[in-house]
Amino acid sequence: MSSPFHPFTVRSHRWLLLALLVAVGSFSLPEPAAAARISDITETNIVDRAVRFFTMQDRSLRYALIGSLLLGVSCGLMGAFLVVRKLALMSDSLSHAVLPGVALGFLWTMTKNPFAIFIGATIAGLLGAGVVQAIRSTTKQKEDASLGFVLAAFYAVGICLMTMIQNLPGGSKSGLDKFMFGQVAALSQDDILLLGGVTLLAVLLIFIFYKEFLLTSFDPSFARSAGLPTQIFHYLLMLLLAFSIVASLQAVGVILVAAMLVIPAASAYLLTDRMGWMLMLSAIFGMCSGAVGAFFSFVGRNLPTGPLMVMAAAVVFVLALFFGPRHGIFARWWRHRSRSKRIQRENTLKAIYRILESEQFLDQSVSLTELAEHRRETIEEASHQLHDLKQCGLVTMTADRQSSVFTPAGWQRACEIVRNHRLWELYLTNAANYASDHVHEDAERIEHVLGEEMVRKLERRLQFAHRDPHGKLIPSQADIQSGGPTPRSSEAAVGYGAGPPEEPLR
Amino acid sequence: MKSSAGTETDIPLEVHDLSVAYHKKPVLYGIDVQIEPGNLVGIVGPNGAGKSTLIKAIMGLLPLTSGWVKVFGKSYKQNCSRVGYVPQRESVDWDFPVNVLDVVLMGRFGRLRLGQRPRAHDRHVAMECLEKVQMLPYARRQIGNLSGGQQQRVFLARALAQESDLYLMDEPFVGVDAATEAAIITLLRELKSRDKTVLVVHHDLSTAKEYFDQLLLLNMRLIAYGRAENVFTPEILQTTYGGRLNILSEVVQTLGGPRP
Amino acid sequence: MKDLIPPFDFEQVMVAPWTTGLEGTIWIVLMGALVGIACGIIGNFLLLRRMALVGDAISHSILLGLILAFLIFRNAGTGVMFLGALLSGVATVAIIEFIHKQSRVKIDAAICIAFTTLFAIGVTLVSAAETAGPVHIDAECVLYGEIGFVIFEPPAKLGNVVLGPTSVVRMAIVTLLLLAAVILFYKELVITSFDGGLAKAMGMRTGLWHYGLMVALSLVVVSAFESVGAVLAVAMLIVPAMFGSQLSNRLPVRLVLTSLHAIVSAVLGYHLAIWLECSIAGAMVVVGSLLFVAAWFGTMAAARWHHSVSKAEQTGRQTPDSLPMTHS
C-alpha cells in the first residue's frame, strides 16, 4: 500500500495530464490562414452552432474550447490546494485585487496585450496578498476584515481606472469590459499560449514537489519541524495561484474566477479521500465545466462565459454533494436506513427468541398473534416484519402463514443478539456500577453493534458467566451452533426471577 | 425522555441519564447525579472526559442525546436566571471594544427586557461585584489590556452580577497568577457561606481536594460523586484516570457507527 | 497615458459642484453618505462577528433575488425589491450552512460556492433578459452602480411635499430605521456578538439575532445596490467599519467614526470623481480606503513614538512590579 507521500499513484495521473496537455497544445500551433472571428459566424440555428462548435473548424472557436480546457485544468489543480488549505476566500480577494493591474496593463500598451495585462495583474495580485499580510501582522484587524479590505480597495481602484479608460479615445472598444464576466470568444492565440504556459508550469511544479505541497498543506508545523521551508512553498503556491487567476481572467471574469478555483475542487473533495485523486478529479471537473460553459456561451449568442462555467461546475458540485458514493447525503441516508432496518429485523428475532424461551423452547413456532402481543403492535405490523425476515432467510412460515419458525441462520443471529444484550447488562451492573433503570435501554442500543472480538473480551471479563442480572440464561457458543431451539430441561431453564441468581461477579 | 415540568425545589441540580454526542461519538454517557445545595463541587477528570461538555449540556448549549436536567426542580430554561456562568477565557475575543464595566453589566442583561437600558441599580450591582473581585479601579479599561488573572476576575464579577443561586464555572483557575487564585477561592468560600452552590470544572488534581467540599469524578461517565475525602481514593482515581473501563469507552464509541 | 488623467481645474472640481451644480451635488453626496453610514454601522457588527465575507457573499447573491422578484412580479417597486433581497439574503445564509453542516466542505469554501453560484445564475438571467427585452437592471450597474443617476429619478413625494429622488428617500428611511434598531437593541447586539455562549445561557435566542442581522444587511444592501453596485456595497460594509475599529477601542466611538468616515468619503470622493471623470462610487471607496490607510499608518507611527517615549522614561527609573501585562 503506497503511503500518502509516495507519489506513485499520482505519477500515473500526471503522465495522463501531460499527454493531454501535449495534445491540446498541438492545436494551438499557428496556422497561415486568417483567423475567423466569432462575430463573423452567422448561423442562427442552435443545432448548427453546436455542430460548428464541436467540429472545431474555426480557429477562434478552437481557441475558445482549448482555452476553457486549459483554464479548467489549472484552476482545478490550484483549487485542490486552496480547498484543503482553507484559502477559498483568499482566492476571492486576490481575484478582485487584480483588476487595477488589468487596467494598468492595458494602459501600458493601449491595446489588450495579453502579456502586459498578465504582468500588471500579477503584480497587483501579489501586492494585494502582501497588503493582507501587512494588515494582519501590524494591526488587530482579523483575517476576514483584511481580506475584505484588499478586495474592496483594490477593486475600487480598478473600477475607477476602467471607467476612466472608457473616456479615452478608443477606450470603449478596449474589450476590457469582457474582463468582468468573461468571454471565452475573445481569447486570442497569445491568451492561449499564456494559459498553456501557466497550466504547464502548474502541472510541472505539482509533479515535482507533490509530497512537499502535501505535507505543508496538511501539517505545516510538522513540516517545519522536519526541516521543510514551509514559507517558500506557501509563496510558491500563492504565485501559481496568481498566475492561474490572471490567465483565466479573460475567460471567466474577475468576479467568478474564485468560483472556478473552488467549486470543481470542492466537488472532488467530496468524492475521494486521497489527495492524488482529488487533484485529478478537480482538473477533470474543471475541464468539463469550462468546456460546457464555453459551449453554452457560444450557442446562446455570446452570453458571458464566466457565469455559465460556474453554473456547470455548480451542477457537478450538487451532484457530488447529494449522490457522492461515500460522503453524499443520499448515501448517508441510505446507510442510516439500512442500519435501521437491520436493527428492526434483529429486534424481531429477539422477540421471537424471548417468546420461545418463555415456553422453555417446547414449542418451535411463534404465531403472529403472540408476536404482535409481545411487541405491542398490530397484526399487520407483525406480519410485515415476519415477511421481511422470511425474505432474508431468517425464518420460514407455516403453510397458513400464521406462524413462523427459525431457520438455522435466524436462530444463530437471534442467539447472538440475545447474548449480546444479556452480556452487556451483566457488564453494566457488575463492572460499571450503572443504575438499574439505565441498563436495559443501554443494552437495547449496544446489542446491535457489539462485534465478535468485543464479545470475547466481555466474556473473559465476566468470567464466562451463565446468567444475566435478571437470572436469564445467556446463550452460549454451543446454543448458537446447535442450529435451532432445543427444549430445556426444568433444572437448567431459569425464567423470570425463578431461582436465586448466581453470586454477582467482581 | 423528558421530565414533566416540575415544582421548584431546593436541589440546585439534578441530572438523569444525560448523554451528549459530538458527531455521533458519545462524549458523555448516562450521567446521573444530584448535587446537594450549599456545596463547592469540583468536577475533575482526564482531558476529553467531557467536563466542559457537562456544564454546557446542563445549560442547554449542547443538545442531549438522552436524559434530562433539572435546575431547582424545573427545566434550565425556566430557571436560567438562577444560574450564573463563567465560561473559559478563550471563548471570547479580547479585542472586542468593551471595557471592564461593560462586560460586568452584561451579567445583568438576563434581568432586562428586550430594548431596556441597564438601570442605575444594575450599574450599582456591577460596581459592587467589581469591588468584590478587586477590579473596581479598572472599570473603564478596555478588556484587552488586562492580564490573564484580571480577565478571569472580570468574568467572575460578571457571574456574580447575575445574582444567582447556582454557579457553573469552566476552568477558572487555568493560567492565573497566585493572587488571583487566592481571590477566587475566597470568593467561592463567601458564596458558600451565603448558601450558594458552585460547580467548578477544575484542571488541577493536586489542589482539588483542598479547594472543594465535594468532588465529581468524570470520565465520559460518572465515576463518583461525594465528599472530597471519601471520593479521593486511589481506587476511584485509578478508575477515572487509569482507563480501567476501556471496554465501556470502546463499545460506546461504536455507537457512533463506522467511520465513513 | 497622459490623456488618462484630466487636468486639475480647482474651480471646476472643487467649487462648481457647490455653486452651479448644487442640487445634483447635494443628492449625490447625500446618497453616498447615507449608503456609507448604513453599511458602515452594520459593517461594525459584521466585523465583530467575523462575518465580513458573509457580507460580501450576500451583496453578490442579492442580484439573483432582485432579478427573480422583478421577473415574477414584473415591476421594480420598493416592496418587490425588498422581498427579493430578503429572500436571497436568507437563502444564501441557509445554503452556506447547509453545505457546511451536511458535508465536510469547510465554511470558507461553502461561502464561496454559495454566493458565486447564486451570483452566476443572477448574471445569466440579467444578460438573457437584456437581450430579450428592456430590463430595469443592467449588468454594469450590478458591478459598480451609477450613483449619478439619482438626480434623474422621479422625486418621491409625501403628500404635496417633494422630498427628493426616490432612492435617496428610501435610503434615508432605511438608514434611520437601522439607527433606531441599533440604539434600541444595542445591548442585545453587543452581547450576542461578544459572548454567544453567555447570551444563550441567559435565554437569548442567538439564532434569531443572527438571522435578524442578515435580514437587516440584505435590506441595507439592496437599498444601496442601484447606487453603488454589488462589490462596492461590500466595500462600504467593510472599509468605514475598519476605519472606526482602527482608531478606537470603544464601540459607540467606532460607530461615530464610521459615520464621519462615510460623510468625508462621500464628499471627497465626489470631487475626485469629477476630476478624474470616473465612477463616483468607485472614487468614494478609493477615498475611504486612503482614509483607512492614513489611520493605519497613523496608529503605527503613534505606537512607535509612544514606545520610544516610554523607553526613554524607563531608562531613568525601575519598572514597578504591579504593572499589568498587556494582552498579546
Side-chain angles (χ1 to χ4, degrees):
Chain A
M1 174 129 113
S2 48
S3 85
F5 305 129
H6 187 37
F8 195 70
T9 6
V10 184
R11 287 225 163 113
S12 52
H13 305 155
R14 293 287 82 78
W15 286 125
L16 264 171
L17 267 180
L18 276 176
L20 181 69
L21 268 178
V22 166
V24 156
S26 66
F27 279 122
S28 45
L29 288 172
E31 278 177 19
R37 288 184 43 214
I38 289 205
S39 49
D40 293 342
I41 297 166
T42 49
E43 269 89 336
T44 51
N45 188 296
I46 284 191
V47 176
D48 285 345
R49 286 169 86 89
V51 165
R52 226 192 145 115
F53 186 85
F54 283 113
T55 51
M56 298 209 281
Q57 286 164 352
D58 305 285
R59 170 88 56 76
S60 43
L61 272 179
R62 217 179 303 157
Y63 287 164
L65 184 60
I66 292 171
S68 24
L69 291 176
L70 284 175
L71 89 85
V73 171
S74 85
C75 285
L77 291 176
M78 294 318 302
F81 284 110
L82 287 182
V83 166
V84 299
R85 292 170 100 114
K86 300 194 248 202
L87 290 174
L89 294 170
M90 164 71 101
S91 76
D92 188 28
S93 185
L94 279 190
S95 57
H96 285 75
V98 301
L99 189 62
V102 170
L104 287 174
F106 173 81
L107 286 170
W108 186 12
T109 59
M110 287 311 281
T111 63
K112 204 164 65 72
N113 181 333
F115 298 108
I117 290 181
F118 185 86
I119 294 174
T122 308
I123 293 177
L126 294 175
L127 190 64
V131 170
V132 171
Q133 196 53 34
I135 296 181
R136 282 293 279 143
S137 49
T138 59
T139 70
K140 286 196 276 188
Q141 303 290 353
K142 304 283 184 296
E143 177 86 14
D144 64 327
S146 329
L147 286 175
F149 174 75
V150 166
L151 190 156
F154 278 60
Y155 185 79
V157 171
I159 289 286
C160 286
L161 286 173
M162 299 278 266
T163 45
M164 281 156 73
I165 287 171
Q166 271 172 0
N167 297 333
L168 293 177
S172 55
K173 283 205 178 350
S174 64
L176 278 186
D177 50 320
K178 299 287 180 287
F179 275 86
M180 286 311 197
F181 297 121
Q183 183 45 268
V184 103
L187 290 176
S188 68
Q189 185 182 47
D190 288 338
D191 295 311
I192 300 293
L193 285 176
L194 218 49
L195 260 174
V198 165
T199 311
L200 191 62
L201 184 65
V203 170
L204 271 174
L205 285 177
I206 291 176
F207 181 60
I208 297 173
F209 293 120
Y210 178 69
K211 62 183 192 302
E212 286 80 4
F213 279 130
L214 184 67
L215 185 56
T216 52
S217 303
F218 175 63
D219 193 348
S221 15
F222 179 76
R224 235 171 291 141
S225 73
L228 270 179
T230 324
Q231 283 292 67
I232 293 186
F233 283 104
H234 179 75
Y235 290 137
L236 191 57
L237 216 58
M238 289 296 107
L239 190 66
L240 280 177
L241 174 64
F243 287 162
S244 283
I245 289 178
V246 175
S248 316
L249 270 183
Q250 200 170 166
V252 193
V254 164
I255 307 197
L256 293 170
V257 162
M260 283 311 283
L261 285 162
V262 173
I263 303 183
S267 314
Y269 185 60
L270 287 176
L271 292 176
T272 172
D273 293 330
R274 308 220 47 212
M275 190 70 194
W277 273 110
M278 186 175 161
L279 283 165
M280 201 51 197
L281 282 176
S282 188
I284 292 177
F285 290 152
M287 284 199 288
C288 295
S289 322
V292 168
F295 174 69
F296 278 108
S297 161
F298 174 62
V299 161
R301 274 168 230 287
N302 297 332
L303 288 173
T305 340
L308 293 165
M309 289 184 178
V310 170
M311 288 198 284
V315 166
V316 174
F317 177 76
V318 168
L319 288 174
L321 182 68
F322 281 96
F323 300 111
R326 227 173 304 179
H327 306 288
I329 294 177
F330 184 73
R332 275 188 289 148
W333 172 81
W334 183 259
R335 277 197 299 265
H336 176 77
R337 190 162 164 267
S338 335
R339 202 159 36 220
S340 311
K341 291 197 97 176
R342 178 175 66 90
I343 290 179
Q344 173 82 292
R345 242 174 269 143
E346 289 175 354
N347 284 339
T348 313
L349 284 174
K350 201 171 59 171
I352 299 177
Y353 183 97
R354 286 214 186 107
I355 296 172
L356 290 179
E357 184 184 42
S358 64
E359 298 161 357
Q360 275 104 49
F361 297 106
L362 291 169
D363 188 1
Q364 300 255 341
S365 72
V366 168
S367 74
L368 269 178
T369 29
E370 278 180 306
L371 185 61
E373 243 180 72
H374 188 269
R375 300 204 71 193
R376 276 186 271 256
E377 55 192 15
T378 67
I379 300 274
E380 285 83 44
E381 285 166 341
S383 164
H384 186 80
Q385 278 153 24
L386 282 179
H387 190 75
D388 190 34
L389 288 180
K390 180 163 162 260
Q391 296 285 72
C392 299
L394 296 171
V395 299
T396 52
M397 304 281 285
T398 55
D400 61 355
R401 287 171 179 271
Q402 288 304 307
S403 309
S404 58
V405 174
F406 275 134
T407 61
W411 168 250
Q412 182 175 346
R413 193 66 199 131
C415 282
E416 283 169 359
I417 291 289
V418 172
R419 172 201 62 192
N420 292 354
H421 184 107
R422 293 176 180 173
L423 263 182
W424 189 249
E425 280 194 351
L426 192 60
Y427 173 76
L428 287 179
T429 11
N430 290 357
N433 298 325
Y434 258 80
S436 56
D437 63 344
H438 291 327
V439 160
H440 183 70
E441 285 157 41
D442 219 71
E444 292 276 318
R445 278 177 291 178
I446 297 283
E447 66 198 4
H448 303 285
V449 297
L450 230 40
E452 280 307 304
E453 197 189 306
M454 188 52 67
V455 170
R456 298 287 97 77
K457 272 193 200 168
L458 278 170
E459 284 174 339
R460 270 197 299 276
R461 180 84 169 69
L462 298 169
Q463 291 163 299
F464 298 97
H466 293 310
R467 296 196 198 133
D468 78 351
H470 308 290
K472 291 197 245 158
L473 277 177
I474 299 179
S476 65
Q477 208 48 25
D479 286 316
I480 293 173
Q481 248 109 53
S482 69
T486 45
R488 295 271 161 78
S489 66
S490 46
E491 302 99 67
V494 180
Y496 287 80
E502 285 185 18
E503 200 68 47
L505 298 162
R506 280 273 157 242
Chain B
M1 180 173 65
K2 284 193 153 63
S3 65
S4 50
T7 46
E8 200 89 6
T9 71
D10 281 336
I11 301 181
L13 183 63
E14 197 188 330
V15 168
H16 180 75
D17 194 25
L18 181 139
S19 302
V20 177
Y22 182 68
H23 286 167
K24 299 242 189 87
K25 297 286 182 201
V27 175
L28 286 175
Y29 198 67
I31 308 288
D32 232 20
V33 75
Q34 210 183 66
I35 304 289
E36 293 158 33
N39 278 298
L40 295 179
V41 183
I43 302 178
V44 293
N47 281 336
K51 309 192 294 288
S52 290
T53 310
L54 180 61
I55 299 273
K56 292 185 189 155
I58 289 170
M59 288 187 291
L61 296 178
L62 291 174
L64 307 182
T65 50
S66 82
W68 46 259
V69 171
K70 275 201 191 145
V71 172
F72 292 107
K74 297 199 172 162
S75 74
Y76 177 82
K77 260 197 141 70
Q78 290 170 302
N79 260 343
C80 61
S81 55
R82 294 187 72 178
V83 181
Y85 178 41
V86 180
Q88 290 186 7
R89 280 208 314 279
E90 64 232 18
S91 63
V92 297
D93 171 19
W94 292 95
D95 292 326
F96 207 93
V98 283
N99 62 29
V100 164
L101 184 61
D102 291 329
V103 174
V104 179
L105 268 175
M106 285 183 199
R108 305 292 299 167
F109 286 2
R111 290 163 193 278
L112 300 172
R113 282 192 313 277
L114 198 65
Q116 188 183 9
R117 299 246 144 296
R119 307 151 292 188
H121 173 65
D122 297 310
R123 239 166 260 281
H124 180 69
V125 170
M127 300 291 244
E128 251 183 17
C129 294
L130 274 175
E131 177 75 43
K132 278 197 199 142
V133 297
Q134 294 133 42
M135 286 291 290
L136 197 52
Y138 297 88
R140 303 281 168 194
R141 188 176 298 204
Q142 199 263 331
I143 53 178
N145 296 329
L146 301 173
S147 70
Q150 291 168 328
Q151 288 172 344
Q152 194 62 57
R153 282 191 258 167
V154 171
F155 264 9
L156 273 167
R158 183 176 71 176
L160 288 176
Q162 289 180 276
E163 285 183 326
S164 316
D165 299 309
L166 170 67
Y167 289 93
L168 302 174
M169 304 190 182
D170 201 347
E171 301 200 333
F173 293 100
V174 165
V176 302
D177 52 281
T180 305
E181 191 155 336
I184 297 178
I185 293 296
T186 316
L187 196 63
L188 292 184
R189 301 239 162 91
E190 196 234 326
L191 285 173
K192 180 187 150 89
S193 72
R194 289 196 281 136
D195 283 324
K196 310 292 181 189
T197 314
V198 186
L199 257 73
V200 177
V201 173
H202 195 58
H203 68 291
D204 180 14
L205 203 52
S206 56
T207 46
K209 193 169 157 205
E210 183 196 327
Y211 288 167
F212 303 105
D213 307 326
Q214 296 183 330
L215 291 179
L216 197 154
L217 288 101
L218 203 63
N219 185 353
M220 195 199 292
R221 46 183 290 296
L222 181 68
I223 311 290
Y225 166 63
R227 296 209 56 77
E229 51 275 14
N230 296 342
V231 151
F232 210 75
T233 67
E235 203 201 47
I236 291 179
L237 284 174
Q238 235 277 305
T239 313
T240 315
Y241 287 87
R244 238 189 73 188
L245 283 169
N246 47 14
I247 287 185
L248 180 79
S249 325
E250 240 184 280
V251 167
V252 151
Q253 297 287 326
T254 61
L255 271 183
R259 290 210 114 241
Chain C
M1 186 74 166
K2 58 188 185 324
D3 296 330
L4 182 72
I5 301 180
F8 183 78
D9 177 352
F10 187 83
E11 157 73 36
Q12 186 208 3
V13 170
M14 301 299 289
V15 177
W18 298 104
T19 53
T20 49
L22 183 63
E23 170 144 6
T25 304
I26 294 260
W27 294 124
I28 292 176
V29 169
L30 185 61
M31 186 65 181
L34 286 172
V35 169
I37 293 175
C39 289
I41 290 180
I42 281 216
N44 268 292
F45 291 100
L46 287 182
L47 284 191
L48 289 173
R49 298 166 96 105
R50 303 194 208 199
M51 293 179 65
L53 294 168
V54 175
D56 175 22
I58 290 187
S59 314
H60 284 77
S61 61
I62 231 161
L63 175 67
L64 181 60
L66 285 178
I67 188 80
L68 279 179
F70 175 70
L71 288 175
I72 293 175
F73 293 102
R74 288 286 153 190
N75 91 78
T78 305
V80 170
M81 255 170 67
F82 275 25
L83 184 68
L86 199 131
L87 289 177
S88 65
V90 168
T92 310
V93 176
I95 291 176
I96 293 174
E97 278 177 25
F98 180 79
I99 296 178
H100 180 52
K101 298 255 162 68
Q102 294 290 339
S103 76
R104 55 184 191 173
V105 174
K106 305 290 181 291
I107 190 95
D108 63 325
I111 294 176
C112 195
I113 296 171
F115 89 81
T116 50
T117 308
L118 294 177
F119 185 69
I121 300 176
V123 170
T124 310
L125 282 179
V126 166
S127 318
E130 239 182 337
T131 50
V135 135
H136 183 67
I137 315 165
D138 81 273
E140 307 261 282
C141 200
V142 165
L143 298 177
Y144 45 84
E146 190 38 78
I147 207 173
F149 285 165
V150 294
I151 56 182
F152 299 125
E153 283 178 12
K157 296 191 204 170
L158 188 68
N160 279 331
V161 179
V162 174
L163 289 173
T166 321
S167 51
V168 179
V169 173
R170 184 167 49 213
M171 193 72 221
I173 295 177
V174 167
T175 309
L176 286 172
L177 286 176
L178 181 69
L179 277 170
V182 167
I183 292 175
L184 186 63
F185 300 125
Y186 187 71
K187 68 177 200 298
E188 283 82 5
L189 284 169
V190 168
I191 196 177
T192 49
S193 307
F194 176 61
D195 192 347
L198 180 75
K200 217 167 156 196
M202 281 187 181
M204 287 190 205
R205 315 217 14 215
T206 43
L208 225 60
W209 287 103
H210 172 72
Y211 270 97
L213 196 63
M214 294 298 107
V215 167
L217 173 64
S218 308
L219 296 180
V220 166
V221 168
V222 80
S223 311
F225 203 74
E226 281 189 331
S227 314
V228 302
V231 187
L232 294 174
V234 177
M236 302 293 199
L237 285 171
I238 297 178
V239 178
M242 278 178 84
F243 178 80
S245 74
Q246 188 64 21
L247 292 178
S248 166
N249 262 338
R250 308 222 44 205
L251 188 55
V253 178
R254 283 189 187 181
L255 292 173
V256 171
L257 284 173
T258 303
S259 309
L260 288 176
H261 175 276
I263 296 172
V264 172
S265 315
V267 173
L268 291 181
Y270 186 52
H271 287 302
L272 184 66
I274 292 177
W275 171 31
L276 297 178
E277 291 172 31
C278 67
S279 149
I280 300 176
M284 289 179 176
V285 172
V286 169
V287 170
S289 309
L290 289 172
L291 286 174
F292 171 75
V293 172
W296 174 20
F297 287 173
T299 45
M300 274 208 294
R304 220 158 278 184
W305 178 80
H306 198 70
H307 185 72
S308 61
V309 162
S310 62
K311 261 202 124 110
E313 282 178 2
Q314 266 177 36
T315 50
R317 55 183 168 85
Q318 282 289 87
T319 336
D321 286 348
S322 59
L323 262 183
M325 302 173 274
T326 357
H327 178 74
S328 53

